[in-house]
Amino acid sequence: MPEENNENDIKQESVEITDEMISEFIREIIILEEDSLYTARANIKERIIAIAKTKVR
Amino acid sequence: MKLKKIVLENFRQFYGKQEINLETSDEANVIVIHGENGAGKTTILEAFSWCLYGKIDLVQSQNILNEKVFNSLSDGMSSNAKVVLLFEDRHREYLVARTVQVKKHGNIQYHTPSEQTFEVKQNGTVITSPANAIDKIMSKELKKYFFFDGERIDTLAKPESSKEIENGIKNIMGISVYEKGIKHLKEAKKILAEELKEIIPSGQTSPYEEEDSIQTELDDCKIKLKNNIKFKEDKLNEKERISDELKSILELEKHEKLKELKEKELFELNESMTKLIEKEQKLISKDAHLAISSDLVEEMNEFLEDKREKGELPSGIREQFIQDLIEKGQCICGTSLIEGDVHVEHLYSLLGKTVRKSVEDGFLKLNAFTNNSLTAGDEFVEKLTEIHEEKTKLTLKIEAARGELADIRLEMQEIAVGSSAQLISKRDSIEELIEELTEKIGAYKSKIKELDSSLESIKRAISQHQTHNRQVSIAEKRIELCQGAIYKMEETYEQLTSMVRKKLSKKVSDIFSSIIIGKNATINHNFELEITKEVNGESRRTATSTGENQVASLAFISSLVNLAKEWDEGGRSTIFTGAGTYPIVMDSPFGALDTTNRDLISKHVQALAPQVIAFVSTSQWSVEVEKNLKPFIKHQYILQYYNPDQAKFKDSQKSIVIDNTTYDLSVQSDDEYTKILKIK
């Protein structure tokens, strides 16, 4: 088991922030913002944090 | 959005159920509604707003129910007022209905928002969140750009309306989405940075923390710089306005013109000084080392010469050259070289003094370098001396110009009395403020440069930064993701804003200059709708009339509508989310215009938007306006005002002749209400 954990650690540490990842992130933020224009949705920053956390884990 | 019909039912002065067919075609895209003051033109404009958003901006806004109906109610009884709007948007038909139940409490119309019903049908089906649907089609923010009072629209062309112009552009073109996104991303990044701080083992720091603090400082500086630049420009314009005023005062005209010339001269001298300082700095950073090291170079040269004389260094004759002569058996002067002869012996002795080719090349290069360095060092000192001499001359000229300017100022103060003296003193304090602002702007620019370079170093540190703590690494990567998105979104936002501003500015300029001859209107980089005039080949901001401001404002709105339509048709609504088709509904389109400008602008009304609804009074409906608009009118309506006080109207306001038929605009009646009549 500890060996498996180490392997996971190595895989997860190798997450690289690519241009593609950033572009996809921006697209999601724009959708959120557009949506909020019409629904007065609150907590956008929390939702952005949630997206960032899903993308990098 | 293309308007099709509006139905008013016991709404304000509109008694019973009355409707206006708003449908237009591409060729005939104008609807004209005639009515005198008090007949209900503004009420219809507000009926659109009330139906779509539940907001009304009229006196006694609580009184929505028609007075005649209200008076007929017994105390405690209720009746309804209703507005229905039919329109089309992106090939879908919308039927919007807002009703309010009004209860009679003595003389008070009692109703609360809960007494309102609001229903939106899309292609016949009721939609569940009607307010959201309407906001998506035309948000409250945008409404004011398309439903407006022509008499008040001129304010858009005043510098203080720049925020409104900027917001209009950003909202309609959908750029505000980026602005909000960047703001939220920065907040999110801050929270993530705080989370990182909590998990970093004690004693360790993260470059992300430092980056965040520099970025915050940088953003703050940029905002301050922008505000100071804007403030300075406002003050410069104010100064120019005062200068124009002073020039119009006979006894000061000569001095004012002289002052302007001197200021121009001083400005040019200062510019030359700045360029000279830049040249000096460039020269110093490039060649100063040559002058500083010239003693060293000279010493090195002497040392090399000494070595050469002692035969410890190549003599300057190439080894290959001597070998070639011996092999060929002939000197370059033609003398035969025979083995054993004295000349060949001499050549052999020289050959002994040469060293390996690489050493020889190295020496030759070093020798060339030291000689060049000496020459370049001398040249540097020469150039620097020249610059210093030029600087001294310029400083003297600047001082002289400043002195002359001070004298002119003094003379003006002596001549000026009363209001002109006040103007001069006001201008003097503005000039002082401008100088202070210039210094501040310079300081902010240097600070930004410094922070930018610190940020670059931090970015390099981040790219090399590594941590072995997985939790910390993940937290850092999340911040990196946010920062990457911030950079990209900021870049896109700047590009889109600038592109849209330039495109709109061009359109505004085209429309404005086709109506007002000899002047131009543009949207400057501060988002001000600026009216300019060519003076000596220079485009200068000029004093404007209300009419010109009105034309510029209309040109701006028309440009927005047309660009939004163009981009919608070009399939760019995915980038510019506000792209679409919008109508213009305007009360008194010729509000403050004089006869000439009114007639001129009436030629362009049909081109303002794909659909134009205009409310006009008799004083604005001239023969020329009618002639210009007629080919584009789809329907015309009359607001027939029934009232007990006919005496308040002039005869010219009581009726109107359209297509040789006379229509009553005002009718004597015991009750006060308005009937909508369609002109056949």
Side-chain angles (χ1 to χ4, degrees), chain B residues 283-312:
Chain B
L283 182 72
I284 290 173
S285 66
K286 190 172 156 264
D287 291 338
H289 68 281
L290 296 171
I292 297 160
S293 60
S294 68
D295 288 347
L296 202 66
V297 173
E298 219 159 311
E299 217 174 285
M300 167 76 95
N301 226 15
E302 279 167 19
F303 170 78
L304 290 174
E305 203 49 50
D306 179 50
K307 290 274 173 200
R308 188 165 33 221
E309 273 171 20
K310 287 179 183 161
E312 292 169 18

Side-chain angles (χ1 to χ4, degrees), chain A residues 9 12 33-34 38 53 56, chain B residues 132 184 195 470 478 577:
Chain A
D9 283 359
Q12 286 168 344
E33 292 293 348
E34 277 179 358
Y38 315 117
K53 287 187 174 174
V56 183
Chain B
N132 294 345
H184 289 133
E195 284 181 12
R470 196 173 73 85
R478 284 169 185 161
T577 48

Side-chain angles (χ1 to χ4, degrees), chain B residues 70-87:
Chain B
F70 179 74
N71 290 339
S72 69
L73 293 175
S74 316
D75 207 33
M77 295 286 285
S78 304
S79 191
N80 289 347
K82 188 177 181 182
V83 175
V84 177
L85 184 63
L86 183 71
F87 66 86

Side-chain angles (χ1 to χ4, degrees), chain B residues 182 485-497:
Chain B
I182 293 164
I486 291 170
Y487 286 145
K488 270 200 175 181
M489 281 183 87
E490 278 181 336
E491 204 183 314
T492 315
Y493 171 73
E494 292 296 330
Q495 281 172 353
L496 288 180
T497 309

Side-chain angles (χ1 to χ4, degrees), chain B residues 353-579:
Chain B
K353 284 183 185 170
T354 60
V355 284
R356 277 188 298 117
K357 192 177 178 299
S358 58
V359 176
E360 189 177 276
D361 283 349
F363 166 75
L364 289 172
K365 273 184 194 160
L366 185 64
N367 200 21
F369 171 75
T370 53
N371 285 329
N372 284 344
S373 295
L374 274 176
T375 327
D378 291 344
E379 277 172 15
F380 166 76
V381 175
E382 216 170 284
K383 277 183 194 164
L384 197 63
T385 314
E386 260 174 46
I387 291 175
H388 282 174
E389 277 167 11
E390 267 183 75
K391 266 173 85 179
T392 314
K393 277 184 207 163
L394 260 181
T395 310
L396 288 174
K397 280 185 188 170
I398 288 172
E399 274 168 17
R402 276 191 186 143
E404 283 170 57
L405 206 53
D407 289 345
I408 297 170
R409 274 202 189 105
L410 213 64
E411 277 174 43
M412 284 181 87
Q413 278 166 2
E414 279 164 13
I415 300 168
V417 279
S419 60
S420 48
Q422 279 175 351
L423 273 179
I424 289 179
S425 136
K426 194 178 171 190
R427 204 237 330 252
D428 285 349
S429 35
I430 289 173
E431 281 177 346
E432 262 175 49
L433 188 61
I434 289 171
E435 246 176 79
E436 265 175 50
L437 287 167
T438 310
E439 273 175 33
K440 265 192 184 176
I441 288 167
Y444 279 125
K445 278 185 180 166
S446 329
K447 185 76 190 160
I448 287 170
K449 215 170 168 184
E450 196 184 298
L451 288 169
D452 266 334
S453 114
S454 308
L455 206 59
E456 276 308 308
S457 315
I458 290 287
K459 274 187 210 162
R460 276 196 297 276
I462 285 173
S463 68
Q464 286 157 13
H465 172 72
Q466 273 182 342
T467 175
H468 298 296
N469 183 324
R470 196 173 73 85
Q471 227 188 337
V472 171
S473 164
I474 287 174
E476 286 181 345
K477 291 282 176 195
R478 284 169 185 161
I479 297 172
E480 194 185 329
L481 177 67
C482 286
Q483 189 54 59
I486 291 170
Y487 286 145
K488 270 200 175 181
M489 281 183 87
E490 278 181 336
E491 204 183 314
T492 315
Y493 171 73
E494 292 296 330
Q495 281 172 353
L496 288 180
T497 309
S498 156
M499 184 180 97
V500 172
R501 184 187 63 78
K502 281 180 192 158
K503 274 202 173 273
L504 277 174
S505 186
K506 170 86 177 57
K507 279 186 181 289
V508 169
S509 167
D510 290 347
I511 298 172
F512 186 87
S513 51
S514 69
I515 300 170
I516 308 276
I517 310 300
K519 285 190 179 176
N520 192 15
T522 51
I523 303 167
N524 68 19
H525 60 277
N526 285 328
F527 288 93
E528 288 164 0
L529 199 48
E530 191 177 68
I531 299 176
T532 54
K533 197 179 173 180
E534 288 271 318
V535 181
N536 303 328
E538 241 180 79
S539 182
R540 284 180 60 181
R541 200 172 193 145
T542 174
T544 52
S545 66
T546 314
E548 284 168 347
N549 286 346
Q550 197 186 338
V551 174
S553 305
L554 279 176
F556 166 68
I557 289 176
S558 170
S559 305
L560 266 186
V561 173
N562 287 313
L563 193 61
K565 185 172 178 269
E566 269 172 37
W567 281 350
D568 186 44
E569 286 168 353
R572 296 173 79 168
S573 55
T574 45
I575 307 169
F576 301 103
T577 48

Side-chain angles (χ1 to χ4, degrees), chain B residues 202-441:
Chain B
S202 61
Q204 283 184 24
T205 53
S206 166
Y208 290 95
E209 272 182 67
E210 205 177 333
E211 185 198 26
D212 191 46
S213 101
I214 295 174
Q215 187 66 57
T216 312
E217 203 181 342
L218 187 64
D219 290 346
D220 185 49
C221 268
K222 281 182 180 170
I223 291 169
K224 283 180 180 156
L225 175 68
K226 200 179 160 196
N227 291 342
N228 275 291
I229 290 175
K230 168 93 179 60
F231 191 39
K232 186 184 163 184
E233 278 172 11
D234 288 347
K235 290 290 144 196
L236 282 169
N237 288 330
E238 204 179 331
K239 184 190 153 185
E240 206 170 307
R241 276 198 295 275
I242 296 177
S243 298
D244 285 343
E245 253 183 84
L246 287 170
K247 259 187 273 176
S248 66
I249 300 168
L250 198 64
E251 58 269 31
L252 293 171
E253 190 193 352
K254 195 181 123 201
H255 283 82
E256 190 54 36
K257 283 185 176 167
L258 206 62
K259 181 177 175 281
E260 214 170 81
L261 279 175
K262 226 6 105 188
E263 275 179 339
K264 202 177 168 207
E265 186 190 324
L266 190 60
F267 175 78
E268 280 162 8
L269 287 169
N270 280 326
E271 285 280 290
S272 307
M273 183 60 103
T274 313
K275 277 184 192 151
L276 212 54
I277 293 170
E278 275 170 18
K279 195 175 164 188
E280 182 188 31
Q281 285 170 346
K282 223 172 169 180
L283 182 72
I284 290 173
S285 66
K286 190 172 156 264
D287 291 338
H289 68 281
L290 296 171
I292 297 160
S293 60
S294 68
D295 288 347
L296 202 66
V297 173
E298 219 159 311
E299 217 174 285
M300 167 76 95
N301 226 15
E302 279 167 19
F303 170 78
L304 290 174
E305 203 49 50
D306 179 50
K307 290 274 173 200
R308 188 165 33 221
E309 273 171 20
K310 287 179 183 161
E312 292 169 18
L313 280 174
S315 57
I317 302 169
R318 283 230 175 214
E319 180 188 19
Q320 192 60 50
F321 174 70
I322 297 169
Q323 270 173 355
D324 286 348
L325 290 180
I326 298 171
E327 215 164 280
K328 215 175 162 189
Q330 193 175 33
C331 180
I332 47 168
C333 64
T335 314
S336 295
L337 299 169
I338 302 152
E339 203 68 37
D341 120 4
V342 64
H343 301 299
V344 177
E345 283 310 309
H346 178 62
L347 285 177
Y348 277 124
S349 73
L350 281 179
L351 206 53
K353 284 183 185 170
T354 60
V355 284
R356 277 188 298 117
K357 192 177 178 299
S358 58
V359 176
E360 189 177 276
D361 283 349
F363 166 75
L364 289 172
K365 273 184 194 160
L366 185 64
N367 200 21
F369 171 75
T370 53
N371 285 329
N372 284 344
S373 295
L374 274 176
T375 327
D378 291 344
E379 277 172 15
F380 166 76
V381 175
E382 216 170 284
K383 277 183 194 164
L384 197 63
T385 314
E386 260 174 46
I387 291 175
H388 282 174
E389 277 167 11
E390 267 183 75
K391 266 173 85 179
T392 314
K393 277 184 207 163
L394 260 181
T395 310
L396 288 174
K397 280 185 188 170
I398 288 172
E399 274 168 17
R402 276 191 186 143
E404 283 170 57
L405 206 53
D407 289 345
I408 297 170
R409 274 202 189 105
L410 213 64
E411 277 174 43
M412 284 181 87
Q413 278 166 2
E414 279 164 13
I415 300 168
V417 279
S419 60
S420 48
Q422 279 175 351
L423 273 179
I424 289 179
S425 136
K426 194 178 171 190
R427 204 237 330 252
D428 285 349
S429 35
I430 289 173
E431 281 177 346
E432 262 175 49
L433 188 61
I434 289 171
E435 246 176 79
E436 265 175 50
L437 287 167
T438 310
E439 273 175 33
K440 265 192 184 176
I441 288 167

Side-chain angles (χ1 to χ4, degrees), chain B residues 17-75:
Chain B
K17 193 174 173 179
Q18 304 195 55
E19 64 177 58
I20 302 172
N21 179 1
L22 300 168
E23 273 193 89
T24 53
S25 61
D26 290 345
E27 301 77 31
N29 65 330
V30 181
I31 305 274
V32 178
I33 299 163
H34 303 270
E36 277 313 298
N37 290 342
K41 299 194 299 289
T42 313
T43 303
I44 299 178
L45 193 71
E46 285 300 313
F48 284 102
S49 179
W50 187 71
C51 181
L52 293 169
Y53 313 106
K55 297 260 181 240
I56 195 162
D57 183 18
L58 288 169
V59 282
Q60 296 177 320
S61 60
Q62 183 75 3
N63 294 352
I64 294 177
L65 185 67
N66 175 267
E67 210 176 277
K68 198 176 169 187
V69 178
F70 179 74
N71 290 339
S72 69
L73 293 175
S74 316
D75 207 33

